[in-house]
Amino acid sequence: MAKVSMVQRQKKRERLVKKYADKRAKLKEIARNEELPMEERFKAQLKLAELPRNSSATRLNNRCELTGRPRAYYRKLRMSRIKLRDLASNGLIPGMVKSSW
């Protein structure tokens, strides 16, 4: 299990990313539009910088939904390899069996 504080921090970041996603996308669009005057683009860039850092999607980490483990994460299943193997061994994932030879 990961530290509870790290899992909570990640959840807080996810909430902030969702909250500011539209505003951030609009400001980025303005800042990238080369047809607009430079002053307007610069103001959009400053407003973008004023948003909370944790509202940026690049600050999110992939973490296991069950344990919070940040490493060995399967995106498709949203869990770590260890938990995946546990569930497969217990027969809780349909069609998946633990290999042995």
Side-chain angles (χ1 to χ4, degrees):
M1 285 290 289
K3 287 172 57 175
V4 176
S5 61
M6 296 303 290
V7 174
Q8 293 303 318
R9 187 182 301 169
Q10 177 70 10
K11 288 181 181 177
K12 180 181 177 183
R13 284 182 182 148
E14 289 171 1
R15 283 194 307 269
L16 282 172
V17 167
K18 190 182 289 187
K19 179 179 178 182
Y20 288 101
D22 294 334
K23 189 173 188 178
R24 187 172 277 280
K26 288 175 186 173
L27 289 173
K28 278 188 176 182
E29 188 177 320
I30 292 169
R32 289 183 183 148
N33 189 353
E34 294 189 12
E35 296 174 2
L36 296 174
M38 193 64 162
E39 295 82 22
E40 190 174 337
R41 293 172 60 199
F42 188 67
K43 285 180 185 176
Q45 196 73 349
L46 290 176
K47 286 183 182 177
L48 192 62
E50 289 175 1
L51 294 178
R53 282 188 176 183
N54 283 335
S55 68
S56 174
T58 58
R59 298 193 44 118
L60 292 176
N61 293 326
N62 292 326
R63 286 189 175 269
C64 176
E65 292 283 318
L66 305 172
T67 61
R69 181 181 165 87
R71 297 182 179 182
Y73 174 84
Y74 287 98
R75 287 184 183 189
K76 193 171 187 178
L77 302 170
R78 300 188 62 155
M79 67 176 69
S80 68
R81 64 178 174 82
I82 298 169
K83 204 60 182 171
L84 178 65
R85 184 177 168 138
D86 271 352
L87 295 175
S89 293
N90 294 335
L92 298 174
I93 300 178
M96 185 177 279
V97 291
K98 183 181 156 239
S99 79
S100 58
W101 58 91

